[in-house]
Amino acid sequence: MRLIIMGPPGAGKGTQAKFIADHFGIPAISTGDIFRANVSAGTELGVKAEHFMDAGEYVPDEVTNQMVRNRIDEPDADPGFMLDGYPRTLAQVEELDGMIKFTGHALDAVVVLTVDEDEIVQRLLQRAELEGRADDTEDVIRRRQELYTEQTEPLIGVYRDRGLLIELDGMGEVDQVTQRIFEALDVVPQS
Ligand code: ADP
């Protein structure tokens, strides 16, 4: 099973990605989490990514693509993966196509969570207080949303044209949203 979850910053992608990935026994691969782990560990990759992340900018495609390529080469991703936060640009879409084609597989579905913009900002500001993420200040949140609209939203059309898109309401309780995703993927959730 090869899945992508998309949606604006704060849409709840990470939370849902984990539930879905667990169900299918595949890893949830979050580029944001991998970058943050590298920043904390002070790796070369972390050093390259940190100032882009702090400013709410996208990390350059070459850096991000290479990181994802390495990650999906790991044996745990042989049966598939759930990508959260990748691809985010058209260049990343092409790169991912190449990576998947190389393995002889295909993407199964792209889940898009649609949410209310005002609600999102509220969620992110709350998360800022709870987690203290360096990129959860109001200006940076705004920049991340702007970039999503400019660079990532166009990907929805690409995947719609391929017949892969599953667009869902991302508002409401976490488990309601999970339920909607499972229904759309036509699977019975494990309790
Ligand atoms: P968000 O809640 O904004 O979706 P993420 O945790 O997914 O946050 O990502 C945090 C940051 O990591 C992004 O703002 C960006 O700097 C970087 N990042 C994550 N994924 C990508 C990607 N696919 N391409 C470029 N930069 C990325």
Side-chain angles (χ1 to χ4, degrees), residues 22-96:
D22 281 354
H23 175 84
F24 289 110
I26 54 177
I29 300 177
S30 156
T31 44
D33 283 352
I34 301 176
F35 280 133
R36 277 186 289 278
N38 277 276
V39 169
S40 302
T43 67
E44 198 182 325
L45 176 65
V47 172
K48 278 186 196 157
E50 188 169 15
H51 64 281
F52 294 105
M53 295 176 74
D54 285 351
E57 300 295 333
Y58 286 173
V59 176
D61 284 337
E62 315 80 69
V63 177
T64 308
N65 287 333
Q66 190 55 48
M67 178 181 88
V68 173
R69 188 179 290 279
N70 294 341
R71 179 63 190 87
I72 67 179
D73 269 349
E74 301 270 327
D76 67 331
D78 281 350
F81 44 77
M82 161 59 104
L83 290 173
D84 157 23
Y86 184 92
R88 263 177 153 104
T89 64
L90 289 167
Q92 292 180 10
V93 170
E94 277 184 35
E95 200 67 23
L96 177 65

Side-chain angles (χ1 to χ4, degrees), residues 98-120:
M99 292 180 216
I100 296 180
K101 201 170 164 201
F102 184 77
T103 63
H105 296 284
L107 265 179
D108 292 283
V110 178
V111 175
V112 178
L113 300 180
T114 49
V115 285
D116 177 85
E117 291 263 324
D118 293 338
E119 171 95 355
I120 283 184

